[in-house]
Amino acid sequence: MPLIEVKDVSLAYDTPAGRVQGVLGATFNMEESEFLCLVGPSGCGKSTLLNIIAGFLTPTGGEILIGGKKVSGHGMDRGVVFQDFAQLFPWRTALGNVAFGLEMKGIGKEEREEIALQQLKLVKLEKFANSYPHHLSGGMQQRVAIARALAYNPAVLLMDEPFAALDAMTRDDMQRLLADVWKTTGKTIIYVTHNVAEAVYLADRVIVMTPHPGTVKAEIPITLPRPRDPLSVEFLDHQKQLLNYLGQGTSKAA
Amino acid sequence: MTMVAQTGANTGVQGNKTPDPAKRAASWRAVRRAAITIGLALATYELIARTGSFPRALLPTLPMIVRTLFAMLLDGSMLMHSLYTLYRVLFGFFLAMVVGIPLGILMARFRRVEQFFLPLVSALMPIPSFALVPLFMLWFGIGNLTTIIIVFYAATFPMIFNTWSGVRSVNPLWLRAAGAMGADEHKLFWKVIIPGASPFIITGMRQSFLRAWIAVVGAEMIAASNWGLGWVIFDAKEFLNADIMLASLAVIGFIGFAFERLVFGSLERNTVMRWGMMRSAKS
Ligand SMILES: Nc1ncnc2c1ncn2[C@@H]1O[C@H](COP(=O)(O)OP(=O)(O)OP(=O)(O)O)[C@@H](O)[C@H]1O
Ligand SMILES: [Mg+2]
């Protein structure tokens, strides 16, 4: 049985200007420890879908099952990383941020700080444990956010363009680091991006969405051996294939 | 010092500890500049006082004022007046925080509470507390009770208003992130909303204290007997004791300044400025 089942999920936003479709009938399954990328043109509903899976939004149609149980509201089986650096709590140090979820679970101070420090080591930030977020660079803040989402050991990690606001070089480093983290932790990850190269570098499988109102257009497995070489012919082939899917989508909508 | 709330994320890497010597030199320069300004103002006053165009009793020279101040400090009367005033202002200010902060938070969290209280707050806030002194005197008599209620009245509204704004400006991402990490309403309140709104809450405390301090002196002039800095100023007019008035004014100014700088300044430095949620304006 798949770990996550997304069944015909739709959501319409109520706005003053009328109803706006966010996603329309998205369906896919996910296995445990799989790395799945959601790609699609801007405004197609990637964030909406991720927020539904996270439990921040309730779908107006369809349902999502995690481990056979229907999702309603957010829960500690899912960790979330947002695009915005401002997601960290500025009044807590890096360590304090990472320990937050453990604190909510009621784990004692000593134990949770030990676990938090291990998580910071995983993202190579143990030296900055006592720094406040405003003293960290954007990439470092996102790494703290990843450590924070992993610290209370959720089964699934949901990430919405976590590196989109970083410069290209930092972004490459972050992708490598994330691939390592995934390898060590074996987490099930859903990763939203509209960067095709990023998807090919990270994913076991890529879900391509149609333009607004978004639905699943294609599922493309990526079986290249890891660590992947972004300059290899096969890598570029996959990239081209994805771009084709996205490109066709755009021209049809126009 | 002007404070600017920092909204965007800071992307630059900085050292863990900010370098001190440059900052310290800058702050000394600020102190020197302030000393020059105040020194010039005092010198101008002294010059005018010494021209002799005004009676000495009405415009005493600085040495006379200082002598009066020392005499009042030595016989303990100035201390008693200050303690009475401080007691009233701190009592009223404390009540204002106890009422204002929870009410501000409730208004920001619950539409119903906001709809009920907002018109009331908006209508009452612009009424100068001083205008209420005679009325409150009729109701509560002369003494501590009336002055404390006046202080409370003056201090509560800025506290409510700032807390209300602060809670509404808490970044929704923090709430989402905390919710995803299993924070219940209670934890959300103490661990996210209060610290998240703290720049506004501290600003509210500052404004509240300032208004409270202004209100207490005014209220004491009319509604206090025998003790209090406001009372001593008002009482001094009977005997044309301008030196006592000016000495008391100096003490009022000094205590207000000390609170502003020492209490609220250090509270701010150790919290919101340390967290980068608020920073001092660049030069
Ligand atoms: N809060 C909202 N209220 C109303 N409509 C919304 C809201 N959020 C998103 N939408 C609409 O839903 C659609 C999907 O938005 P969504 O943010 O999920 O897109 P996205 O794929 O994440 O885009 P991007 O790549 O730009 O982040 C868009 O057409 C958008 O206008
Ligand atoms: Mg998005």
Side-chain angles (χ1 to χ4, degrees):
Chain A
M1 193 182 71
L3 179 69
I4 302 177
E5 295 166 77
V6 176
K7 292 182 173 170
D8 197 25
V9 167
S10 302
L11 184 141
Y13 289 102
D14 272 319
T15 69
R19 280 166 86 80
V20 177
Q21 201 68 37
V23 257
L24 190 63
T27 300
F28 61 86
N29 289 340
M30 246 187 111
E31 300 300 327
E32 199 175 332
S33 292
E34 197 179 356
F35 199 128
L36 188 88
C37 277
L38 276 179
V39 300
S42 182
C44 73
K46 305 182 292 292
S47 298
T48 305
L49 187 53
L50 198 79
N51 281 326
I52 296 170
I53 300 172
F56 297 133
L57 298 173
T58 313
T60 41
E63 60 176 4
I64 290 166
L65 305 178
I66 297 183
K69 278 215 313 253
K70 188 174 168 181
V71 164
S72 69
H74 42 66
M76 297 195 82
D77 53 343
R78 284 151 286 158
V80 188
V81 180
F82 305 96
Q83 173 178 343
D84 199 335
F85 303 157
Q87 67 191 290
L88 295 181
F89 305 128
W91 56 91
R92 284 178 168 240
T93 60
L95 193 76
N97 265 283
V98 177
F100 189 90
L102 300 161
E103 196 178 326
M104 297 302 111
K105 262 188 171 175
I107 290 168
K109 188 174 162 69
E110 229 163 89
E111 193 186 344
R112 68 176 184 248
E113 291 193 343
E114 201 181 302
I115 300 174
L117 197 62
Q118 273 165 14
Q119 296 300 324
L120 281 174
K121 271 191 190 133
L122 193 68
V123 294
K124 304 194 170 67
L125 279 179
E126 67 274 19
K127 282 206 202 89
F128 294 88
N130 294 318
S131 299
Y132 286 95
H134 75 117
H135 282 149
L136 302 175
S137 71
M140 289 155 100
Q141 291 183 39
Q142 289 308 74
R143 271 141 73 193
V144 175
I146 293 171
R148 182 173 77 172
L150 286 170
Y152 53 95
N153 201 19
V156 184
L157 192 57
L158 305 170
M159 308 175 87
D160 192 353
E161 308 200 44
F163 308 142
L166 299 172
D167 62 273
M169 222 160 80
T170 315
R171 192 179 171 130
D172 287 350
D173 289 343
M174 293 295 130
Q175 287 165 8
R176 254 192 307 273
L177 184 109
L178 181 61
D180 283 349
V181 167
W182 176 69
K183 210 171 105 189
T184 347
T185 59
K187 289 286 169 207
T188 311
I189 299 182
I190 305 184
Y191 187 103
V192 167
T193 179
H194 46 229
N195 181 322
V196 167
E198 187 168 64
V200 177
Y201 185 79
L202 291 169
D204 289 324
R205 194 155 49 102
V206 180
I207 303 242
V208 182
M209 290 179 70
T210 60
H212 179 90
T215 188
V216 175
K217 175 177 192 176
E219 295 187 24
I220 298 158
I222 299 188
T223 50
L224 298 174
R226 295 167 188 266
R228 291 175 180 161
D229 175 8
L231 297 176
S232 70
V233 179
E234 297 85 355
F235 192 99
L236 295 172
D237 277 347
H238 276 90
Q239 221 175 307
K240 216 180 286 169
Q241 187 191 1
L242 272 184
L243 280 172
N244 273 338
Y245 273 109
L246 287 168
Q248 280 168 13
T250 325
S251 60
K252 227 181 255 166
Chain B
M1 207 180 342
T2 325
M3 301 297 165
V4 180
Q6 193 174 18
T7 45
N10 185 350
T11 48
V13 194
Q14 296 165 5
N16 254 344
K17 296 196 177 67
T18 25
D20 269 342
K23 257 195 191 156
R24 191 154 297 165
S27 81
W28 270 118
R29 237 173 296 141
V31 169
R32 249 201 340 258
R33 268 200 296 268
I36 290 172
T37 313
I38 293 170
L40 273 175
L42 290 177
T44 311
Y45 174 88
E46 186 70 5
L47 263 176
I48 296 171
R50 282 188 191 272
T51 53
S53 355
F54 302 95
R56 266 293 136 82
L58 297 186
L59 209 65
T61 60
L62 289 178
M64 290 165 70
I65 298 171
V66 170
R67 223 172 298 133
T68 306
L69 179 59
F70 266 96
M72 290 179 80
L73 285 172
L74 285 179
D75 71 10
S77 60
M78 191 57 98
L79 184 69
M80 282 308 282
H81 289 306
S82 304
L83 286 179
Y84 263 91
T85 302
L86 274 174
Y87 163 71
R88 289 163 183 152
V89 83
L90 290 178
F91 202 126
F93 176 65
F94 178 74
L95 285 181
M97 285 204 298
V98 169
V99 172
I101 295 177
L103 190 57
I105 290 171
L106 289 174
M107 278 171 60
R109 298 285 284 169
F110 302 105
R111 179 72 50 84
R112 284 271 172 79
V113 182
E114 180 177 83
Q115 279 168 350
F116 183 80
F117 281 103
L118 196 57
L120 205 62
V121 172
S122 310
L124 292 180
M125 192 150 81
I127 299 179
S129 52
F130 197 63
L132 289 166
V133 177
L135 190 63
F136 283 13
M137 239 168 67
L138 288 182
W139 292 347
F140 307 110
I142 280 184
N144 283 342
L145 183 61
T146 301
T147 40
I148 288 171
I149 291 176
I150 290 290
V151 168
F152 170 72
Y153 182 89
T156 305
F157 296 112
M159 208 61 248
I160 296 176
F161 223 78
N162 279 288
T163 308
W164 173 63
S165 312
V167 172
R168 286 184 312 155
S169 75
V170 165
N171 186 342
L173 267 186
W174 298 336
L175 300 174
R176 269 198 175 177
M181 288 187 281
D184 52 32
E185 272 295 318
H186 178 80
K187 294 262 174 56
L188 216 55
F189 182 87
W190 289 106
K191 309 256 168 187
V192 182
I193 293 174
I194 293 268
S198 57
F200 285 81
I201 294 179
I202 292 174
T203 303
M205 286 165 67
R206 272 199 138 122
Q207 285 179 8
S208 277
F209 187 82
L210 193 71
R211 284 187 60 162
W213 192 235
I214 291 169
V216 75
V217 173
E220 281 176 344
M221 289 192 172
I222 307 180
S225 53
N226 299 329
W227 295 108
L229 293 168
W231 179 83
V232 90
I233 289 177
F234 207 62
D235 187 58
K237 82 174 188 318
E238 302 290 334
F239 308 98
L240 297 180
N241 285 331
D243 53 339
I244 294 184
M245 293 182 184
L246 287 161
S248 306
L249 278 176
V251 172
I252 289 172
F254 174 77
I255 296 177
F257 178 81
F259 262 91
E260 166 68 22
R261 276 302 165 92
L262 298 181
V263 178
F264 298 114
S266 72
L267 181 63
E268 209 165 59
R269 269 192 305 280
N270 288 311
T271 56
V272 290
M273 287 177 79
R274 182 146 154 248
W275 305 331
M277 295 173 80
M278 205 188 245
R279 57 185 161 76
S280 45
K282 293 226 169 67
S283 73

